[in-house]
Coordinates of all heavy atoms in Angstrom, one line a residue:
M21 N 17.2 -2.9 13.2 CA 16.0 -2.1 13.3 C 14.8 -3.0 13.6 O 14.6 -4.0 12.9 CB 15.8 -1.4 11.9 CG 14.7 -0.3 12.0 SD 14.7 0.7 10.5 CE 13.9 -0.4 9.4
P22 N 14.1 -2.7 14.7 CA 12.9 -3.5 15.0 C 11.8 -3.4 14.0 O 11.6 -2.3 13.4 CB 12.5 -3.0 16.4 CG 13.0 -1.6 16.4 CD 14.2 -1.5 15.6
K23 N 11.1 -4.5 13.8 CA 10.0 -4.5 12.8 C 8.9 -3.7 13.4 O 8.6 -3.7 14.5 CB 9.6 -5.9 12.5 CG 10.3 -6.5 11.4 CD 9.5 -7.7 10.8 CE 9.3 -8.9 11.8 NZ 8.7 -10.0 11.1
S24 N 8.2 -2.9 12.5 CA 7.0 -2.3 12.9 C 5.9 -3.3 13.1 O 5.7 -4.2 12.4 CB 6.5 -1.3 11.8 OG 7.5 -0.3 11.6
P25 N 5.1 -3.1 14.2 CA 4.0 -4.0 14.4 C 2.9 -3.8 13.3 O 2.7 -2.7 12.8 CB 3.4 -3.6 15.8 CG 3.8 -2.1 15.9 CD 5.1 -2.0 15.1
R26 N 2.2 -4.9 13.0 CA 1.1 -4.8 12.1 C -0.1 -4.3 12.8 O -0.8 -5.1 13.5 CB 0.8 -6.2 11.4 CG -0.3 -6.2 10.4 CD -0.3 -7.4 9.6 NE 0.8 -7.6 8.7 CZ 0.8 -7.0 7.4 NH1 -0.2 -6.4 7.0 NH2 1.8 -7.2 6.7
I27 N -0.3 -3.0 12.8 CA -1.5 -2.4 13.5 C -2.6 -2.3 12.6 O -2.5 -2.3 11.3 CB -1.1 -1.0 14.1 CG1 -0.6 -0.1 13.0 CG2 -0.1 -1.1 15.2 CD1 -0.6 1.4 13.4
R28 N -3.8 -2.2 13.1 CA -5.0 -1.9 12.4 C -5.0 -0.4 11.9 O -4.8 0.5 12.8 CB -6.2 -2.1 13.3 CG -7.5 -2.4 12.5 CD -8.6 -2.7 13.4 NE -9.8 -3.1 12.6 CZ -10.0 -4.2 12.0 NH1 -9.1 -5.2 12.3 NH2 -11.0 -4.5 11.2
I29 N -5.1 -0.2 10.6 CA -5.0 1.2 10.2 C -6.3 2.0 10.5 O -7.3 1.5 10.1 CB -4.7 1.2 8.6 CG1 -3.4 0.5 8.4 CG2 -4.6 2.7 8.1 CD1 -3.1 0.1 6.9
P30 N -6.2 3.1 11.2 CA -7.4 3.8 11.6 C -8.2 4.3 10.4 O -7.6 4.6 9.3 CB -6.8 5.0 12.4 CG -5.4 4.7 12.7 CD -4.9 3.7 11.6
P31 N -9.5 4.4 10.5 CA -10.4 4.8 9.4 C -10.0 6.1 8.8 O -10.0 6.3 7.6 CB -11.8 4.9 10.0 CG -11.7 4.1 11.2 CD -10.3 4.0 11.7
E32 N -9.5 7.1 9.6 CA -9.2 8.4 9.1 C -7.9 8.3 8.2 O -7.8 9.0 7.2 CB -8.8 9.4 10.3 CG -9.7 9.4 11.4 CD -9.4 8.4 12.5 OE1 -8.4 8.5 13.2 OE2 -10.1 7.3 12.5
V33 N -7.0 7.4 8.6 CA -5.8 7.2 7.8 C -6.2 6.6 6.4 O -5.7 7.0 5.4 CB -4.7 6.4 8.5 CG1 -3.5 6.1 7.6 CG2 -4.3 7.2 9.8
R34 N -7.0 5.5 6.5 CA -7.4 4.9 5.2 C -8.1 5.9 4.3 O -7.8 5.9 3.1 CB -8.5 3.8 5.5 CG -8.1 2.8 6.6 CD -9.2 1.7 6.8 NE -9.1 0.8 5.7 CZ -8.4 -0.3 5.8 NH1 -7.7 -0.6 6.9 NH2 -8.4 -1.2 4.8
K35 N -9.0 6.7 4.9 CA -9.7 7.7 4.1 C -8.7 8.7 3.5 O -8.8 9.0 2.3 CB -10.7 8.5 5.0 CG -11.7 9.2 4.2 CD -12.8 9.8 5.1 CE -13.6 10.8 4.4 NZ -14.2 11.9 5.2
Y36 N -7.7 9.1 4.3 CA -6.7 10.1 3.8 C -5.9 9.5 2.6 O -5.7 10.1 1.6 CB -5.7 10.4 4.9 CG -4.6 11.3 4.4 CD1 -4.8 12.7 4.4 CD2 -3.4 10.8 4.0 CE1 -3.7 13.5 4.0 CE2 -2.4 11.6 3.5 CZ -2.5 12.9 3.5 OH -1.5 13.7 3.1
V37 N -5.5 8.2 2.7 CA -4.7 7.6 1.7 C -5.5 7.4 0.4 O -5.1 7.7 -0.7 CB -4.1 6.2 2.2 CG1 -3.4 5.5 1.0 CG2 -3.1 6.5 3.3
H38 N -6.8 7.0 0.6 CA -7.6 6.8 -0.6 C -7.9 8.1 -1.3 O -7.9 8.2 -2.5 CB -9.0 6.2 -0.2 CG -8.9 4.7 0.1 ND1 -8.0 3.8 -0.5 CD2 -9.6 3.9 1.0 CE1 -8.2 2.6 0.0 NE2 -9.1 2.6 0.9
Q39 N -8.1 9.2 -0.5 CA -8.4 10.5 -1.1 C -7.1 11.0 -1.8 O -7.2 11.5 -3.0 CB -8.7 11.5 0.0 CG -10.2 11.4 0.4 CD -10.6 12.4 1.5 OE1 -9.7 13.0 2.1 NE2 -11.9 12.7 1.7
R40 N -6.0 10.8 -1.2 CA -4.7 11.2 -1.8 C -4.5 10.5 -3.2 O -4.0 11.1 -4.1 CB -3.5 10.9 -0.9 CG -2.2 11.4 -1.3 CD -1.1 10.7 -0.6 NE -1.1 9.3 -0.8 CZ -0.4 8.4 -0.1 NH1 0.4 8.8 0.9 NH2 -0.4 7.1 -0.4
D41 N -4.9 9.2 -3.2 CA -4.7 8.4 -4.4 C -5.9 8.5 -5.3 O -6.1 7.7 -6.3 CB -4.4 7.0 -4.0 CG -3.1 6.8 -3.3 OD1 -2.2 7.8 -3.4 OD2 -2.9 5.8 -2.6
N42 N -6.8 9.5 -5.1 CA -8.0 9.6 -5.9 C -8.9 8.4 -6.0 O -9.5 8.1 -7.1 CB -7.6 10.1 -7.4 CG -7.0 11.5 -7.3 OD1 -7.4 12.4 -6.6 ND2 -5.9 11.6 -8.1
Y43 N -8.9 7.6 -5.0 CA -9.8 6.4 -4.9 C -9.5 5.5 -6.1 O -10.4 4.9 -6.7 CB -11.3 6.8 -4.9 CG -11.7 7.5 -3.6 CD1 -11.6 8.9 -3.5 CD2 -12.0 6.8 -2.5 CE1 -12.0 9.5 -2.4 CE2 -12.4 7.4 -1.3 CZ -12.3 8.8 -1.3 OH -12.7 9.5 -0.1
Q44 N -8.2 5.4 -6.5 CA -7.7 4.6 -7.6 C -6.7 3.6 -7.1 O -5.8 4.0 -6.4 CB -7.1 5.5 -8.7 CG -8.0 5.8 -9.8 CD -7.3 6.5 -10.9 OE1 -6.3 7.2 -10.7 NE2 -7.7 6.2 -12.2
C45 N -6.7 2.4 -7.6 CA -5.7 1.4 -7.4 C -4.4 2.0 -8.0 O -4.4 2.4 -9.2 CB -6.0 0.1 -8.0 SG -4.7 -1.1 -7.9
Q46 N -3.3 2.0 -7.3 CA -2.1 2.6 -7.8 C -1.3 1.6 -8.7 O -0.3 2.0 -9.3 CB -1.1 3.0 -6.6 CG -1.8 4.0 -5.7 CD -2.1 5.3 -6.5 OE1 -1.2 6.0 -6.9 NE2 -3.4 5.5 -6.8
S47 N -1.8 0.4 -8.9 CA -1.2 -0.5 -9.8 C -2.0 -0.7 -11.1 O -1.4 -0.6 -12.2 CB -1.1 -1.9 -9.1 OG -0.5 -2.8 -9.9
C48 N -3.3 -0.9 -11.0 CA -4.1 -1.1 -12.3 C -5.0 0.0 -12.6 O -5.7 0.0 -13.6 CB -4.8 -2.4 -12.2 SG -6.2 -2.4 -11.0
N49 N -5.1 1.1 -11.7 CA -5.9 2.3 -12.0 C -7.4 2.1 -11.9 O -8.1 3.0 -12.3 CB -5.5 3.0 -13.3 CG -4.1 3.6 -13.2 OD1 -3.6 4.0 -12.1 ND2 -3.4 3.6 -14.3
Q50 N -7.8 0.9 -11.5 CA -9.3 0.8 -11.3 C -9.7 1.7 -10.1 O -9.0 1.9 -9.2 CB -9.6 -0.7 -11.0 CG -9.5 -1.6 -12.2 CD -10.3 -2.9 -11.9 OE1 -11.4 -3.0 -12.2 NE2 -9.6 -3.8 -11.3
T51 N -10.9 2.2 -10.2 CA -11.4 3.1 -9.1 C -12.4 2.3 -8.2 O -12.7 1.1 -8.5 CB -12.2 4.3 -9.7 OG1 -13.4 3.8 -10.3 CG2 -11.4 5.0 -10.8
H52 N -12.8 3.0 -7.2 CA -13.7 2.3 -6.2 C -15.0 2.0 -6.8 O -15.8 1.2 -6.2 CB -13.9 3.3 -5.0 CG -14.5 4.6 -5.3 ND1 -15.7 5.0 -4.8 CD2 -14.0 5.6 -6.0 CE1 -16.0 6.2 -5.3 NE2 -15.0 6.6 -6.0
H53 N -15.3 2.5 -8.0 CA -16.6 2.1 -8.7 C -16.4 0.7 -9.3 O -17.4 0.0 -9.5 CB -16.9 3.1 -9.9 CG -17.1 4.5 -9.4 ND1 -18.2 4.8 -8.6 CD2 -16.5 5.6 -9.6 CE1 -18.2 6.1 -8.3 NE2 -17.1 6.6 -8.9
D54 N -15.2 0.3 -9.6 CA -15.0 -1.0 -10.3 C -14.5 -2.1 -9.4 O -14.6 -3.3 -9.7 CB -13.9 -0.8 -11.4 CG -14.1 0.4 -12.2 OD1 -15.2 0.5 -12.7 OD2 -13.2 1.2 -12.4
T55 N -13.9 -1.7 -8.2 CA -13.3 -2.8 -7.4 C -13.3 -2.4 -6.0 O -13.7 -1.3 -5.6 CB -11.8 -2.9 -7.9 OG1 -11.2 -4.0 -7.2 CG2 -11.0 -1.7 -7.6
H56 N -12.9 -3.3 -5.1 CA -12.8 -3.1 -3.7 C -11.3 -2.6 -3.4 O -10.4 -3.3 -3.7 CB -13.1 -4.4 -2.9 CG -13.0 -4.2 -1.5 ND1 -14.0 -3.6 -0.7 CD2 -12.0 -4.5 -0.6 CE1 -13.7 -3.5 0.5 NE2 -12.5 -4.1 0.7
L57 N -11.2 -1.4 -2.8 CA -9.9 -0.8 -2.6 C -9.4 -1.2 -1.2 O -10.2 -1.2 -0.2 CB -10.0 0.7 -2.7 CG -10.3 1.2 -4.1 CD1 -10.4 2.7 -4.1 CD2 -9.2 0.8 -5.1
T58 N -8.1 -1.4 -1.1 CA -7.5 -1.7 0.2 C -6.3 -0.8 0.4 O -5.9 -0.1 -0.5 CB -7.0 -3.2 0.3 OG1 -6.0 -3.3 -0.7 CG2 -8.2 -4.2 -0.1
I59 N -5.8 -0.8 1.6 CA -4.6 -0.1 2.0 C -3.4 -1.1 1.9 O -3.5 -2.1 2.5 CB -4.7 0.6 3.3 CG1 -5.9 1.6 3.4 CG2 -3.4 1.3 3.7 CD1 -5.6 2.9 2.7
D60 N -2.4 -0.7 1.2 CA -1.2 -1.5 1.1 C 0.0 -0.9 1.7 O 0.2 0.3 1.5 CB -1.0 -1.9 -0.4 CG 0.3 -2.6 -0.6 OD1 0.4 -3.7 0.0 OD2 1.2 -2.2 -1.3
H61 N 0.9 -1.6 2.3 CA 2.2 -1.1 2.7 C 3.1 -1.2 1.5 O 3.4 -2.3 1.0 CB 2.8 -1.9 3.9 CG 2.0 -1.7 5.2 ND1 0.9 -2.4 5.5 CD2 2.3 -0.8 6.2 CE1 0.5 -1.9 6.7 NE2 1.3 -1.0 7.1
I62 N 3.6 -0.1 1.0 CA 4.5 -0.1 -0.2 C 5.7 -1.0 0.1 O 6.1 -1.9 -0.7 CB 4.9 1.3 -0.5 CG1 3.7 2.2 -0.9 CG2 5.9 1.3 -1.7 CD1 3.9 3.7 -1.1
I63 N 6.4 -0.7 1.2 CA 7.5 -1.6 1.7 C 6.8 -2.4 2.8 O 6.4 -1.9 3.8 CB 8.7 -0.8 2.2 CG1 9.3 0.1 1.1 CG2 9.8 -1.8 2.8 CD1 10.3 1.1 1.6
P64 N 6.7 -3.7 2.6 CA 6.0 -4.6 3.5 C 6.7 -4.5 4.9 O 7.9 -4.3 5.1 CB 6.2 -6.0 3.0 CG 6.5 -5.8 1.5 CD 7.3 -4.5 1.4
L65 N 5.8 -4.6 5.9 CA 6.3 -4.5 7.3 C 7.4 -5.6 7.6 O 8.4 -5.3 8.3 CB 5.2 -4.7 8.3 CG 4.1 -3.6 8.3 CD1 3.0 -4.0 9.3 CD2 4.7 -2.3 8.7
A66 N 7.2 -6.7 6.9 CA 8.2 -7.8 7.1 C 9.6 -7.5 6.5 O 10.6 -8.1 6.8 CB 7.7 -9.1 6.4
R67 N 9.6 -6.4 5.7 CA 10.9 -6.0 5.1 C 11.4 -4.7 5.7 O 12.2 -4.0 5.1 CB 10.8 -5.9 3.5 CG 10.4 -7.2 2.8 CD 11.5 -8.2 2.9 NE 12.7 -7.8 2.2 CZ 13.0 -8.0 0.9 NH1 12.2 -8.8 0.2 NH2 14.1 -7.6 0.4
G68 N 10.8 -4.3 6.8 CA 11.3 -3.1 7.5 C 10.5 -1.9 7.1 O 10.9 -0.8 7.5
G69 N 9.4 -2.0 6.5 CA 8.5 -0.9 6.2 C 7.8 -0.4 7.4 O 7.8 -1.1 8.5
T70 N 7.3 0.8 7.4 CA 6.6 1.4 8.6 C 5.1 1.6 8.3 O 4.6 1.4 7.2 CB 7.2 2.8 8.9 OG1 6.8 3.7 7.9 CG2 8.7 2.7 9.0
N71 N 4.4 2.0 9.4 CA 3.0 2.3 9.2 C 2.8 3.8 8.9 O 1.7 4.3 9.0 CB 2.3 2.0 10.6 CG 2.2 0.5 10.8 OD1 1.6 -0.2 9.9 ND2 2.7 0.0 11.9
D72 N 3.9 4.5 8.5 CA 3.8 5.9 8.1 C 2.9 6.1 6.9 O 2.9 5.2 6.0 CB 5.2 6.4 7.9 CG 5.1 8.0 7.8 OD1 5.2 8.6 8.9 OD2 5.1 8.5 6.7
I73 N 2.2 7.2 6.8 CA 1.3 7.5 5.6 C 2.1 7.4 4.3 O 1.6 7.0 3.3 CB 0.6 8.8 5.8 CG1 -0.6 8.6 6.8 CG2 0.1 9.4 4.5 CD1 -1.3 9.9 7.2
S74 N 3.4 7.8 4.4 CA 4.2 7.8 3.2 C 4.5 6.4 2.7 O 4.9 6.2 1.5 CB 5.5 8.6 3.4 OG 6.3 7.9 4.4
N75 N 4.3 5.4 3.5 CA 4.5 4.0 3.1 C 3.2 3.3 2.8 O 3.2 2.1 2.6 CB 5.3 3.3 4.2 CG 5.7 1.9 3.8 OD1 6.2 1.7 2.6 ND2 5.6 0.9 4.6
L76 N 2.1 4.1 2.7 CA 0.8 3.5 2.5 C 0.3 3.9 1.1 O 0.6 5.0 0.7 CB -0.2 3.9 3.5 CG 0.1 3.5 5.0 CD1 -0.9 4.0 5.9 CD2 0.2 2.0 5.1
Q77 N -0.3 3.0 0.4 CA -0.9 3.3 -0.9 C -2.2 2.6 -1.1 O -2.5 1.6 -0.4 CB 0.1 3.0 -2.1 CG 0.3 1.4 -2.2 CD 1.2 1.1 -3.3 OE1 1.5 1.9 -4.2 NE2 1.6 -0.2 -3.4
T78 N -3.0 3.0 -2.1 CA -4.3 2.4 -2.4 C -4.0 1.3 -3.4 O -3.4 1.5 -4.5 CB -5.2 3.4 -3.0 OG1 -5.4 4.5 -2.0 CG2 -6.6 2.8 -3.3
L79 N -4.5 0.1 -3.1 CA -4.4 -1.0 -4.1 C -5.8 -1.7 -4.0 O -6.4 -1.7 -3.0 CB -3.4 -2.0 -3.7 CG -1.9 -1.8 -4.1 CD1 -1.1 -3.1 -3.8 CD2 -1.7 -1.4 -5.5
C80 N -6.2 -2.2 -5.2 CA -7.4 -3.0 -5.2 C -7.1 -4.3 -4.6 O -6.0 -4.7 -4.4 CB -8.0 -3.1 -6.6 SG -7.1 -4.2 -7.7
L81 N -8.2 -5.0 -4.2 CA -8.0 -6.3 -3.5 C -7.2 -7.3 -4.4 O -6.3 -8.0 -3.9 CB -9.4 -6.9 -3.2 CG -9.5 -8.0 -2.2 CD1 -8.9 -7.6 -0.8 CD2 -10.9 -8.4 -2.0
T82 N -7.4 -7.3 -5.7 CA -6.7 -8.2 -6.6 C -5.2 -7.9 -6.6 O -4.4 -8.8 -6.4 CB -7.3 -8.1 -8.0 OG1 -8.7 -8.1 -7.9 CG2 -6.8 -9.2 -8.9
C83 N -4.9 -6.7 -6.8 CA -3.4 -6.3 -6.8 C -2.8 -6.6 -5.5 O -1.6 -7.0 -5.4 CB -3.3 -4.9 -7.2 SG -3.7 -4.5 -8.9
N84 N -3.5 -6.3 -4.4 CA -2.9 -6.5 -3.1 C -2.6 -8.0 -2.9 O -1.6 -8.3 -2.3 CB -3.9 -5.9 -2.0 CG -3.2 -5.6 -0.7 OD1 -2.0 -6.0 -0.5 ND2 -3.9 -4.9 0.1
Q85 N -3.6 -8.8 -3.3 CA -3.4 -10.3 -3.1 C -2.2 -10.8 -4.0 O -1.5 -11.7 -3.6 CB -4.7 -11.0 -3.4 CG -5.6 -10.9 -2.2 CD -7.0 -11.4 -2.5 OE1 -7.3 -11.6 -3.7 NE2 -7.8 -11.6 -1.5
Q86 N -2.1 -10.2 -5.1 CA -1.0 -10.7 -6.0 C 0.3 -10.2 -5.5 O 1.3 -10.9 -5.7 CB -1.2 -10.1 -7.5 CG -2.3 -10.9 -8.2 CD -2.6 -10.2 -9.5 OE1 -2.2 -9.1 -9.8 NE2 -3.5 -10.8 -10.3
K87 N 0.4 -9.1 -4.9 CA 1.6 -8.5 -4.4 C 2.2 -9.3 -3.2 O 3.4 -9.6 -3.2 CB 1.4 -7.0 -4.0 CG 2.7 -6.4 -3.6 CD 2.5 -5.0 -3.1 CE 3.7 -4.5 -2.4 NZ 3.5 -3.4 -1.5
K88 N 1.3 -9.6 -2.3 CA 1.8 -10.3 -1.0 C 3.0 -9.6 -0.4 O 3.0 -8.4 -0.2 CB 2.0 -11.8 -1.3 CG 0.7 -12.4 -1.6 CD 0.7 -13.9 -1.6 CE -0.7 -14.5 -1.8 NZ -0.7 -15.7 -2.6
D89 N 4.1 -10.4 -0.2 CA 5.3 -9.8 0.4 C 6.3 -9.4 -0.6 O 7.5 -9.1 -0.2 CB 5.8 -10.7 1.5 CG 5.2 -10.4 2.8 OD1 4.4 -9.4 2.9 OD2 5.4 -11.2 3.8
K90 N 6.0 -9.4 -1.9 CA 7.0 -9.0 -2.9 C 7.2 -7.5 -2.8 O 6.4 -6.7 -2.5 CB 6.5 -9.3 -4.3 CG 6.8 -10.8 -4.7 CD 6.4 -11.1 -6.1 CE 4.9 -11.1 -6.2 NZ 4.5 -11.5 -7.6
I91 N 8.5 -7.1 -3.1 CA 8.8 -5.7 -3.1 C 8.4 -5.1 -4.4 O 8.6 -5.7 -5.5 CB 10.4 -5.6 -3.0 CG1 10.8 -6.1 -1.6 CG2 10.8 -4.1 -3.1 CD1 10.5 -5.3 -0.4
D92 N 7.8 -3.9 -4.3 CA 7.5 -3.1 -5.5 C 8.8 -2.9 -6.4 O 9.8 -2.5 -5.8 CB 6.9 -1.8 -5.1 CG 6.3 -1.0 -6.2 OD1 7.1 -0.8 -7.2 OD2 5.2 -0.6 -6.1
P93 N 8.7 -3.2 -7.7 CA 9.9 -3.1 -8.5 C 10.6 -1.7 -8.4 O 11.8 -1.6 -8.6 CB 9.5 -3.4 -9.9 CG 8.0 -3.8 -9.8 CD 7.6 -3.7 -8.4
R94 N 9.8 -0.7 -8.2 CA 10.3 0.6 -8.1 C 11.2 0.8 -6.9 O 12.0 1.8 -6.9 CB 9.2 1.7 -8.0 CG 8.4 1.9 -9.3 CD 7.2 2.7 -9.1 NE 6.3 2.0 -8.2 CZ 5.1 2.6 -7.7 NH1 4.8 3.8 -8.1 NH2 4.3 1.9 -6.9
F95 N 11.1 -0.1 -5.9 CA 11.9 0.1 -4.7 C 13.0 -1.0 -4.7 O 13.8 -1.0 -3.7 CB 11.1 -0.1 -3.5 CG 10.1 1.1 -3.3 CD1 8.8 1.0 -3.8 CD2 10.5 2.3 -2.7 CE1 8.0 2.1 -3.7 CE2 9.7 3.3 -2.6 CZ 8.4 3.3 -3.1
R96 N 13.1 -1.9 -5.7 CA 14.0 -3.0 -5.6 C 15.5 -2.5 -5.5 O 16.3 -3.0 -4.8 CB 13.8 -3.8 -6.9 CG 14.5 -5.2 -6.7 CD 14.0 -6.2 -7.8 NE 12.6 -6.6 -7.5 CZ 11.8 -7.0 -8.5 NH1 12.2 -7.0 -9.8 NH2 10.6 -7.4 -8.2
R97 N 15.8 -1.4 -6.3 CA 17.2 -0.9 -6.3 C 17.6 -0.5 -4.9 O 18.7 -0.7 -4.5 CB 17.3 0.3 -7.2 CG 17.6 -0.2 -8.6 CD 17.7 1.0 -9.5 NE 18.6 2.1 -9.0 CZ 18.9 3.2 -9.6 NH1 18.5 3.4 -10.8 NH2 19.7 4.0 -9.0
Y98 N 16.6 0.0 -4.2 CA 16.9 0.5 -2.8 C 17.4 -0.7 -1.9 O 18.3 -0.6 -1.1 CB 15.6 1.1 -2.2 CG 15.7 1.4 -0.8 CD1 16.3 2.6 -0.3 CD2 15.1 0.6 0.2 CE1 16.4 2.9 1.1 CE2 15.1 0.9 1.5 CZ 15.8 2.0 2.0 OH 15.8 2.3 3.3
F99 N 16.7 -1.9 -2.2 CA 17.1 -3.0 -1.3 C 18.3 -3.7 -1.8 O 19.0 -4.4 -1.0 CB 15.9 -4.0 -1.3 CG 14.8 -3.5 -0.4 CD1 13.7 -2.9 -1.0 CD2 14.9 -3.6 0.9 CE1 12.7 -2.4 -0.2 CE2 13.9 -3.1 1.8 CZ 12.8 -2.5 1.2
E100 N 18.6 -3.6 -3.1 CA 19.8 -4.4 -3.6 C 21.1 -3.6 -3.6 O 22.1 -4.2 -3.7 CB 19.4 -4.8 -5.1 CG 18.4 -5.9 -5.1 CD 18.0 -6.3 -6.5 OE1 18.4 -5.6 -7.5 OE2 17.2 -7.3 -6.6
S101 N 21.0 -2.3 -3.5 CA 22.2 -1.5 -3.5 C 23.0 -1.6 -2.2 O 22.4 -2.0 -1.2 CB 21.9 0.0 -3.8 OG 21.0 0.5 -2.7
Ligands
ZN211 ZN1 -5.5 -3.0 -8.9

């Protein structure tokens, strides 16, 4: 499977994802009042993730930087099975 290119996420898509996630970090639950929110690829592109909205989530800058290319534990089984 070819890797998805790392494209710039359009503003409308960022807004949609943030709205869907109630402007809250999906890891630590801080809101946009407390922190800087970013868009994260749930399954990293480097691991075969896509740029589809279903693979995008809201993370604050801190959680996003801590995550880097690690797989979310909730998806680990998917990769190990
Ligand atoms: Zn966070």
Side-chain angles (χ1 to χ4, degrees):
M21 195 169 74
K23 268 200 297 187
S24 300
R26 184 169 285 277
I27 57 164
R28 202 176 184 83
I29 299 164
E32 313 89 75
V33 174
R34 306 181 79 90
K35 198 174 165 209
Y36 175 88
V37 173
H38 285 331
Q39 277 179 346
R40 185 197 63 192
D41 294 340
N42 296 317
Y43 295 91
Q44 258 189 332
C45 172
Q46 298 302 289
S47 181
C48 69
N49 293 328
Q50 287 197 92
T51 69
H52 61 115
H53 297 297
D54 311 311
T55 186
H56 181 76
L57 296 175
T58 63
I59 298 286
D60 174 58
H61 289 84
I62 298 173
I63 300 171
L65 295 177
R67 300 292 297 266
T70 69
N71 289 304
D72 193 84
I73 281 174
S74 63
N75 189 42
L76 299 176
Q77 66 178 348
T78 303
L79 277 190
C80 72
L81 197 57
T82 311
C83 291
N84 203 346
Q85 282 172 345
Q86 283 171 354
K87 186 187 165 198
K88 295 195 175 139
D89 271 351
K90 276 185 287 185
I91 297 287
D92 189 307
R94 286 172 297 175
F95 293 92
R96 196 165 286 153
R97 273 180 49 176
Y98 170 79
F99 285 100
E100 286 174 356
S101 61

